């Protein structure tokens, strides 16, 4: 019978407490090692997670908000990322400890390992408690903010002046189209109208389309969504572009488009812009209307010269030769460039529609096509014999006489937000020049005044006394010429009535109709 010796485990005494333990490199029991070394040191036992009670999302630093269910893997990963010291230990296990949902507490049990001595690895379990703090996310903050707009109408026009927006501003005031706006922001190239409801923005787009030729585009942006009801909140932006043709612009179009508009000449002058563009052939007084739909379909009709290209001419003779069309009379007019008056005998005979407006000795503004540099494909295709030397646009008056005679009326204006940056001094001067040109258009064009409310100036008497004192020192000839300046009849002016201060909350007091 073979003898099998019995093996016994060798035990040693712990160097700290004297307990018999199996041999290990530390020669200490587990309890003594734990009392000497804490592997959880450096790992926070309390932390905070931020939760938005509106959209029920949690903040994942630095700026990400994510939806996490209770006791989900996503929420566990978010909690573990809040603990900075986990990178120095080995994570063995992690799990949630049940807590009351309304307690705003999240408890996580962690099991970690770490080498404490040579060839000695210690494993330890501990709990981390998280406090759920309420914090509104940026999306919900914008929703809850006061004067939060839900729809915006961006109105733009690709031109180098602001006269169209001055006219639109008066139309909006007259029809009360700004009543539903919560903010009007003045930006480069146009205006932004903010509304609290989408229907109000659609109404504004329809109003603008009924006043001037426009086209619009719509875009939307998701703001927030309710996971319980399945509803979403959107922001709507309506981009409205106004046709880039203005009053007194010289317009050229392809022959195909001209034939479609009633066999009108390809080179025409814009006399008015309403819900359509009114064009006139200066050689025949033939008129046509260009709708926004026809323009945006091809966009081949272009304005080749504007107000800034006008030159001044001296009228030497007016010879009516043809028919009448309203206030326009066809005539052959002999003119001379104002710079050539008294220097040479270079005169130009042009056919114009201003035969009933201009007289001998008047000054007129027009486009000098002989010296103009026009780069346009449709203009280059025109027959040179059909291109006039000069296109007269309007009668003009000396600046000195205008300044001596103040206006007895004024305009109201919308209360607009200038935005983050105030306009530069150069832009302000340009805007003042455009506004003065708009005021002169109102004086000279009764049809344009019909869509605008003009108010009596309370300081008319003061200005009249000053003007009377200046006129007393002038010659009778100057007074006769001054009486020819276009004026707004008194019966067209309205009394500015203010029942209380609240009525003018959405408007500035006035914009003075003065030099």
């Amino acid at each position: 019978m073979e003898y099998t010796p019995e093996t016994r485990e060798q035990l040693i005494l712990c160097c700290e407490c004297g307990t018999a333990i199996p041999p290990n490199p530390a020669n200490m029991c587990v309890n003594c090692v734990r009392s000497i070394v804490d592997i959880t040191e450096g790992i926070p036992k309390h932390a905070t997670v931020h939760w938005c009670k509106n959209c029920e999302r949690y903040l994942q630093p630095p700026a990400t908000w994510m939806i996490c269910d209770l006791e989900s893997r996503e929420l566990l990963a978010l909690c573990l990322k809040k603990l900075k010291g986990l990178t120095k230990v080995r994570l063995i296990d992690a799990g949630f400890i049940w807590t009351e949902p309304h307690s705003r507490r999240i408890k996580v049990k962690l099991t970690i390992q770490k080498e404490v001595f040579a060839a000695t690895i210690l494993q330890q379990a501990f709990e981390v408690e998280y406090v759920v703090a309420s914090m509104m996310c940026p999306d919900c903050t914008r929703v809850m903010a006061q004067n939060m707009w839900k729809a915006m109408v961006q109105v733009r026009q690709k031109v180098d002046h602001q006269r169209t927006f001055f006219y639109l501003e008066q139309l909006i005031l007259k029809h009360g189209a700004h009543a539903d706006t919560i903010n009007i922001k003045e930006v480069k190239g146009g205006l932004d109208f903010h509304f609290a409801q989408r229907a109000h923005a659609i109404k504004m787009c329809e109003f603008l389309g009924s006043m001037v030729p426009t086209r619009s585009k719509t875009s939307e942006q998701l703001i927030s969504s309710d996971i319980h009801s399945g509803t979403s909140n959107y922001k709507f932006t309506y981009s409205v572009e106004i046709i880039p043709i203005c009053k007194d612009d010289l317009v050229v179009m392809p022959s195909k488009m001209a034939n479609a508009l009633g066999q009108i000449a390809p080179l025409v002058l814009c006399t008015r812009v309403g819900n359509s563009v009114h064009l006139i052939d200066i050689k025949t007084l033939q008129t046509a209307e260009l709708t926004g739909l026809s323009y945006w379909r091809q966009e081949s009709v272009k304005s080749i010269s504007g107000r800034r290209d006008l030159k001044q001419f001296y009228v030497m003779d007016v010879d009516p030769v043809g028919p009448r069309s309203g206030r326009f009379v066809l005539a052959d007019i002999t003119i001379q460039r104002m710079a050539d008056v008294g220097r040479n005998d270079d005169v130009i005979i042009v056919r114009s529609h201003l035969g009933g407006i201009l007289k001998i000795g008047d000054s007129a503004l027009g486009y000098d096509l002989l010296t103009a540099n026009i780069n346009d494909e449709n203009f280059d295709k025109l027959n040179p014999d059909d291109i006039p030397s000069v296109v007269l646009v309007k009668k003009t008056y000396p600046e000195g006489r205008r300044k001596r005679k103040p206006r007895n009326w004024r305009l109201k204006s919308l209360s607009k937000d200038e935005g983050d940056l105030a306009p530069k001094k150069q832009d302000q001067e340009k805007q003042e020049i455009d506004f003065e040109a708009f005021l002169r258009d109102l004086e000279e064009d009764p049809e344009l005044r019909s869509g605008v409310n003009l108010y009596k100036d309370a300081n008319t008497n003061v200005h009249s006394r000053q003007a009377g004192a200046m006129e007393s020192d002038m010659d009778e000839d100057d007074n006769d010429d001054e009486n020819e300046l276009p004026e707004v009849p008194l019966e067209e002016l309205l009394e500015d009535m203010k029942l209380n201060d609240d009525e003018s909350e959405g408007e500035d007091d006035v914009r003075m109709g003065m030099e």
Side-chain angles (χ1 to χ4, degrees):
M1 185 175 182
E2 185 179 357
Y3 174 74
T4 302
E6 182 179 357
T7 58
R8 294 183 178 180
E9 183 182 7
Q10 299 295 326
L11 299 177
I12 62 173
L13 298 179
C14 175
C15 64
E16 292 290 334
C17 63
T19 304
I21 59 173
N24 59 68
N27 293 329
M28 289 188 297
C29 63
V30 176
N31 294 331
C32 292
V33 173
R34 288 178 178 175
S35 62
I36 297 176
V37 180
D38 184 12
I39 62 175
T40 65
E41 186 178 2
I43 301 176
K45 306 302 186 295
H46 298 276
T48 302
V49 293
H50 295 92
W51 174 72
C52 179
K53 63 179 180 180
N54 293 326
C55 60
E56 297 185 356
R57 295 187 297 176
Y58 291 86
L59 174 62
Q60 180 178 351
T64 303
W65 290 82
M66 54 187 302
I67 299 176
C68 303
D69 296 331
L70 291 177
E71 299 188 2
S72 62
R73 297 181 60 181
E74 293 80 6
L75 182 58
L76 181 61
L78 187 146
C79 293
L80 294 179
K81 289 180 180 179
K82 302 285 289 186
L83 305 179
K84 298 181 180 180
L86 284 181
T87 56
K88 299 179 181 180
V89 298
R90 181 182 180 185
L91 180 63
I92 302 299
D93 188 24
F96 289 100
I97 300 177
W98 187 85
T99 56
E100 293 287 345
H102 62 274
S103 64
R104 298 290 182 90
R105 298 292 187 274
I106 298 176
K107 291 185 178 181
V108 179
K109 182 179 180 180
L110 304 178
T111 302
I112 59 175
Q113 287 183 352
K114 185 178 181 181
E115 185 176 3
V116 293
F117 299 112
T120 302
I121 298 177
L122 181 62
Q123 179 174 311
Q124 187 174 348
F126 64 101
E127 296 180 2
V128 179
E129 181 178 352
Y130 296 86
V131 178
V132 180
S134 296
M135 178 180 178
M136 191 171 291
C137 65
D139 293 337
C140 295
T141 301
R142 287 193 292 267
V143 172
M144 295 299 177
Q146 294 182 356
N147 294 334
M148 171 59 190
W149 60 272
K150 188 174 182 180
M152 177 173 61
V153 178
Q154 298 176 336
V155 186
R156 302 290 187 270
Q157 187 184 28
K158 297 178 181 179
V159 293
D160 57 352
H161 59 80
Q162 297 290 325
R163 297 195 311 273
T164 303
F165 290 98
F166 293 140
Y167 179 60
L168 276 181
E169 182 178 0
Q170 299 305 316
L171 292 177
I172 291 172
L173 286 171
K174 181 174 182 178
H175 295 85
H178 65 296
D180 298 324
T181 57
I182 59 177
N183 186 31
I184 302 176
K185 187 175 181 181
E186 190 173 6
V187 297
K188 185 177 181 179
L191 296 173
D192 289 349
F193 297 88
H194 299 87
F195 299 90
Q197 298 182 18
R198 182 186 181 187
H200 296 160
I202 297 177
K203 184 179 178 181
M204 173 61 78
C205 293
E206 294 175 351
F207 171 78
L208 295 175
S210 64
M211 294 298 169
V212 291
T214 61
R215 69 172 176 179
S216 60
K217 295 181 181 179
T218 308
S219 62
E220 58 185 28
Q221 178 185 4
L222 178 64
I223 301 301
S224 62
S225 59
D226 191 346
I227 61 176
H228 299 293
S229 60
T231 58
S232 301
N233 184 25
Y234 288 90
K235 267 186 177 179
F236 299 91
T237 302
Y238 296 87
S239 178
V240 179
E241 183 179 356
I242 303 175
I243 189 171
I245 298 178
C246 302
K247 183 176 179 290
D248 297 337
D249 282 1
L250 188 61
V251 179
V252 66
M253 66 183 77
S255 300
K256 183 178 180 181
M257 174 66 74
N259 295 334
L261 294 178
Q263 301 291 331
I264 196 171
L267 186 64
V268 291
L269 186 68
C270 176
T271 58
R272 189 170 71 89
V273 178
N275 52 9
S276 61
V277 179
H278 296 251
L279 305 173
I280 186 172
D281 183 1
I282 58 174
K283 293 184 176 180
T284 63
L285 297 187
Q286 181 182 356
T287 59
E289 292 188 11
L290 177 65
T291 62
L293 183 62
S294 301
Y295 175 83
W296 299 117
R297 186 180 300 162
Q298 296 182 357
E299 298 189 36
S300 56
V301 182
K302 294 183 180 179
S303 172
I304 57 175
S305 296
R307 286 278 186 93
R308 302 185 186 278
D309 302 321
L310 290 174
K311 306 297 182 182
Q312 194 168 4
F313 297 89
Y314 180 74
V315 179
M316 303 181 67
D317 188 21
V318 178
D319 183 16
V321 296
R324 287 177 172 267
S325 177
R327 58 191 177 96
F328 299 129
V329 177
L330 195 64
D332 287 337
I333 302 178
T334 304
I335 59 175
Q336 187 178 21
R337 296 182 182 90
M338 193 61 70
D340 295 339
V341 175
R343 296 184 179 181
N344 53 52
D345 297 331
D346 296 338
V347 296
I348 305 173
I349 300 177
V350 297
R351 181 153 293 186
S352 175
H353 61 295
L354 302 179
I357 300 175
L358 296 178
K359 297 183 299 182
I360 298 176
D362 287 344
S363 298
L365 294 177
Y367 299 111
D368 191 352
L369 300 185
L370 291 176
T371 59
N373 183 12
I374 300 175
N375 185 12
D376 185 81
E377 180 181 358
N378 295 324
F379 184 80
D380 295 338
K381 294 179 180 179
L382 296 178
N383 186 355
D385 296 334
D386 296 335
I387 301 177
S389 301
V390 175
V391 178
L392 296 180
V393 176
K394 58 189 298 188
K395 181 180 179 180
T396 184
Y397 302 89
E399 291 291 331
R401 296 174 186 170
R402 283 185 178 272
K403 293 181 179 180
R404 290 200 302 263
K405 198 163 188 177
R407 298 185 176 98
N408 61 345
W409 52 274
R410 61 184 180 180
L411 297 174
K412 288 188 176 181
S413 63
L414 296 172
S415 178
K416 297 184 288 290
D417 182 11
E418 294 183 352
D420 298 333
L421 297 177
K424 298 180 181 179
K425 183 178 180 180
Q426 182 178 2
D427 296 336
Q428 290 179 348
E429 294 177 353
K430 182 180 177 182
Q431 187 175 3
E432 291 176 358
I433 295 174
D434 292 339
F435 184 65
E436 174 62 26
F438 172 66
L439 295 180
R440 295 183 179 183
D441 287 342
L442 291 178
E443 290 177 335
E444 299 170 2
D445 192 349
E447 190 176 3
L448 185 64
R449 289 199 304 267
S450 61
V452 176
N453 286 339
L454 305 180
Y455 297 89
K456 294 180 181 179
D457 187 5
N459 300 323
T460 302
N461 296 331
V462 177
H463 296 311
S464 298
R465 288 195 298 268
Q466 294 177 352
M470 296 177 62
E471 290 176 358
S472 61
D473 298 333
M474 300 177 184
D475 297 331
E476 293 181 358
D477 294 339
D478 293 340
N479 291 332
D480 294 338
D481 293 337
E482 194 168 304
N483 292 330
E484 296 180 1
L485 292 177
E487 293 182 354
V488 179
L490 188 61
E491 56 270 15
E492 296 184 13
L493 302 181
L494 302 176
E495 293 287 348
D496 187 12
M497 299 181 61
K498 293 183 180 180
L499 300 180
N500 51 49
D501 295 337
D502 296 335
E503 288 186 357
S504 59
E505 183 178 355
E507 304 173 357
D508 288 342
D509 291 339
V510 289
R511 294 192 72 158
M512 299 300 295
M514 301 183 62
E515 302 288 346

